[in-house]
Amino acid sequence: MTMPLPRRMLAVLALLSLHTVAASAQTRDVAGARDYPGIGRFTGSVITGYVVKDFDATRMQAAAFRDGQPADARRLEGRIVRIAYRTNPGPSILEVSRNFETQLAKAGYETLLACDTDACGGIPFTEAIDTLPVPQMWVDGFNYRYFAGRKTEGGRETYASVIVSQNNQDITAQVTIAELGAIANKMVDAAAMAKGLGEAGHIALYGIYFDTDKAVLKPESRPTLEQIAKLLTGQPQLNVFIVGHTDSQGAYEYNLDLSKRRAEAVAAELVKSFRIAQARLRTAGVGLLAPVGSNATDAGRALNRRVELVAP
């Protein structure tokens, strides 16, 4: 007699099935995604997940597990880039991984760890590394290959890891890059805002956060919004322009629209949560047209992604 599956298990199986169908149906990169410079992708792959944080932490393993436990686990802080790929059936896990490993070696990364499933540490190993969630990335704990590398260039330390696995016949891979660095102080208080407006007519704010290609304010933006509200509440006659800026990645018209929507999101939040009169806030988006850094470098692009207050 066949025993019926528990309801919870049926729900999980249905969810995994939907994820598999969604992944198989994807034929182009997710919006705003791009390969990491100098590394690229395996031929025929599409980007299924893309997350870039100017400051975050990630977990990398620099050695295989011993007795089921990490032997050299590293928590890395700095600019973190996570890119997940899916490759159609054909290549093996080893072929895809070796291509990434060769490219990373050419880019100057020395190998810290290169291992397959059992040599790495099996399922516990996959639970101790940093991967994007299903359906962006899929890791089969019984069948994968992992690589971790490190390079130092110009006094700057960068780590890279690649996890390659398989979902049905598709090969999945995630590249994670950690550019080590201390967190930048992006807090600008009301007094500094007033000083910048008075002396230069504008001030750049780097404590306003959005996800890539989105215009929805992240919760981490609240401290800076509070300081803008404090400035405007303390100076009832002050009106400001809120101006959005982007880097040069992406289409020109798209960036103009995105920068304006981000400025509008800031104004809307000030009205909604801090009771600032709408008439005191005007918004504009200039996209990539007013850079303060070089768009040819990651550091320059980070400076260009900002919101500014501008005095009328």
Side-chain angles (χ1 to χ4, degrees):
M1 178 177 177
T2 303
M3 295 293 293
L5 289 172
R7 240 180 237 179
R8 179 172 183 142
M9 184 176 291
L10 286 170
V12 170
L13 290 174
L15 183 60
L16 292 178
S17 176
L18 286 173
H19 284 160
T20 301
V21 170
S24 298
Q26 184 177 337
T27 59
R28 63 182 63 185
D29 293 349
V30 296
R34 58 190 67 91
D35 298 322
Y36 190 84
I39 297 178
R41 72 179 74 185
F42 188 84
T43 301
S45 300
V46 294
I47 297 179
T48 54
Y50 183 79
V51 177
V52 178
K53 302 289 186 183
D54 288 336
F55 189 84
D56 201 358
T58 187
R59 302 185 309 276
M60 287 191 189
Q61 301 296 327
F65 273 28
R66 287 188 201 140
D67 300 323
Q69 297 297 321
D72 188 355
R74 304 191 184 187
R75 185 179 189 276
L76 309 173
E77 293 188 354
R79 183 173 184 268
I80 309 296
V81 180
R82 302 173 177 93
I83 311 172
Y85 297 93
R86 177 182 57 78
T87 300
N88 287 330
S92 65
I93 289 175
L94 182 60
E95 181 183 5
V96 174
S97 184
R98 282 280 170 80
N99 271 265
F100 275 114
E101 292 168 37
T102 299
Q103 196 66 17
L104 286 163
K106 289 180 181 177
Y109 289 85
E110 60 174 318
T111 301
L112 296 173
L113 174 63
C115 58
D116 298 304
T117 310
D118 292 336
C120 289
I123 292 176
F125 185 91
T126 64
E127 293 172 344
I129 60 175
D130 182 356
T131 57
L132 293 170
V134 174
Q136 296 177 63
M137 178 59 189
W138 181 284
V139 179
D140 180 350
F142 295 98
N143 192 17
Y144 64 88
R145 182 171 174 81
Y146 181 81
F147 170 89
R150 171 186 174 275
K151 78 171 180 179
T152 302
E153 187 174 59
R156 185 179 188 181
E157 192 174 13
T158 305
Y159 285 78
S161 70
V162 181
I163 177 78
V164 182
S165 188
Q166 189 169 340
N167 176 23
N168 290 330
Q169 297 303 309
D170 293 338
I171 301 299
T172 58
Q174 180 174 318
V175 176
T176 303
I177 306 294
E179 303 166 358
L180 302 196
I183 189 168
N185 182 6
K186 296 186 176 182
M187 276 301 300
V188 177
D189 64 16
M193 292 178 194
K195 186 172 185 289
L197 290 173
E199 294 180 355
H202 66 99
I203 186 164
L205 305 177
Y206 292 98
I208 303 291
Y209 299 98
F210 303 91
D211 281 329
T212 302
D213 289 323
K214 293 185 179 179
V216 178
L217 282 162
K218 293 171 71 69
E220 304 94 289
S221 305
R222 187 170 180 85
T224 297
L225 293 169
E226 289 174 346
Q227 292 302 311
I228 300 174
K230 181 178 179 181
L231 166 72
L232 294 171
T233 302
Q235 298 187 40
Q237 303 308 312
L238 176 64
N239 300 328
V240 295
F241 286 98
I242 300 172
V243 183
H245 297 258
T246 69
D247 59 27
S248 65
Q249 303 293 307
Y252 170 74
E253 295 291 346
Y254 177 83
N255 279 329
L256 279 181
D257 178 65
L258 177 64
S259 62
K260 180 161 179 37
R261 286 189 288 118
R262 286 179 169 179
E264 290 169 347
V266 173
E269 186 64 19
L270 289 170
V271 172
K272 175 185 174 184
S273 298
F274 299 95
R275 300 184 180 180
I276 303 299
Q278 180 71 61
R280 300 178 64 190
L281 309 170
R282 296 181 65 182
T283 60
V286 297
L288 52 83
L289 296 178
V292 291
S294 170
N295 276 307
T297 67
D298 288 336
R301 288 191 291 271
L303 288 173
N304 293 335
R305 297 188 296 268
R306 67 197 189 279
V307 171
E308 289 200 0
L309 295 185
V310 178

